[in-house]
Amino acid sequence: MPNIIFYPQKFILPKGLSVKGKTGETILDIALSNKIKMEHACEKSCACCTCHCIIRKGFYSLSKCKEKEEDLLDKAWGLEKFSRLGCQARLGTEDIEVEIPMYNVNYVSE
């Protein structure tokens, strides 16, 4: 079982968190099951970019990024080279480190 380290985030996770995950689980499902209130306005259907996260370690062990996810990531606030959508990125066998950006683009709440 890989370790997932969620970096501290001022609003939803001030102290950060290290948890275990199962290969094949999404980053978003792991966050939610560990009471991390990661936004997901489209209810995990890959239709928005509110669950955007940045993979600081272990990026290449995650599932491949599909074209639909890549298109949505272009709209994400603070996009970086190792950005993924938490609802689409599935764990491989290696440990990962995840940063949840301070802000996101949520057209529902704006």
Side-chain angles (χ1 to χ4, degrees):
M1 292 181 91
N3 261 340
I4 301 91
I5 296 173
F6 289 94
Y7 287 8
Q9 201 262 31
K10 183 178 179 178
F11 298 114
I12 63 171
L13 194 62
K15 295 182 181 181
L17 186 66
S18 179
V19 296
K20 295 276 188 192
K22 294 178 185 168
T23 298
E25 280 186 295
T26 66
I27 292 171
L28 178 59
D29 284 335
I30 293 164
L32 295 175
S33 67
N34 286 282
K35 297 181 175 53
I36 299 171
K37 294 180 181 177
M38 193 171 175
E39 284 204 52
H40 52 289
C42 72
E43 295 300 319
K44 308 177 196 176
S45 65
C46 195
C48 71
C49 57
T50 58
C51 64
H52 166 237
C53 55
I54 303 161
I55 310 305
R56 296 295 182 197
K57 180 181 173 189
F59 180 84
Y60 294 108
S61 73
L62 297 172
S63 60
K64 282 192 123 184
C65 191
K66 295 182 180 168
E67 188 175 346
K68 186 175 181 181
E69 179 184 359
E70 288 176 352
D71 290 344
L72 286 169
L73 279 169
D74 288 339
K75 300 173 185 175
W77 183 90
L79 182 67
E80 293 191 15
K81 180 179 179 181
F82 297 112
S83 288
R84 290 295 304 268
L85 295 181
C87 70
Q88 299 300 300
R90 295 188 178 278
L91 287 183
T93 56
E94 295 179 31
D95 296 349
I96 65 169
E97 295 180 7
V98 179
E99 179 181 342
I100 301 169
M102 192 74 69
Y103 305 102
N104 66 51
V105 178
N106 185 345
Y107 296 111
V108 175
S109 68
E110 292 176 359

